[in-house]
Amino acid sequence: GGGGGGGGGGGDPVPSSRSLKAVSLRGSICVSLLTLPRPSLSLGRVGYTDGWRDATFSFDLHNESAVPTACRFTSLPPEVEVLSAADDAAGGAGGGGGGGRG
């Protein structure tokens, strides 16, 4: 007879308990950090003064982290071309620099 309400069947109640455990954890973290040797780069006189010729330049990025670090450029104007180190080995400007107008 009688039940209703969907399940249970009147068995023994299931005991519930809560526990908290502290675990000792040790680890390390490495943050990637690339820096320029100086806070700004001078590209020299480019643009109108040199007849708008392509100006090739390069700069070094220093990896300050303990692991290899990848980087990418964002929001570059369409006139700026970034060459990779592989391009530099093949005779391009490379080195993480770019060339362009203005």
Side-chain angles (χ1 to χ4, degrees), residues 62-90:
H62 294 257
N63 183 5
E64 303 289 340
S65 64
V67 296
T69 301
C71 70
R72 69 177 176 193
F73 295 92
T74 59
S75 303
L76 291 174
E79 299 84 9
V80 175
E81 179 184 2
V82 177
L83 304 175
S84 70
D87 294 329
D88 189 31

Side-chain angles (χ1 to χ4, degrees), residues 15-23:
S16 65
S17 63
R18 296 182 184 174
S19 63
L20 178 65
K21 183 175 183 178
V23 177

Side-chain angles (χ1 to χ4, degrees), residues 1 5 7 9 13 15 20 22 24 27-28 38 41 45 56 58 60 62-63 73 78-79 85 92-94 98:
L20 178 65
S24 177
S28 61
R38 291 184 218 121
L41 298 170
R45 294 181 173 255
T56 301
S58 65
D60 294 322
H62 294 257
N63 183 5
F73 295 92
E79 299 84 9

Side-chain angles (χ1 to χ4, degrees), residues 22-30:
V23 177
S24 177
L25 179 65
R26 178 180 285 183
S28 61
I29 186 169
C30 182

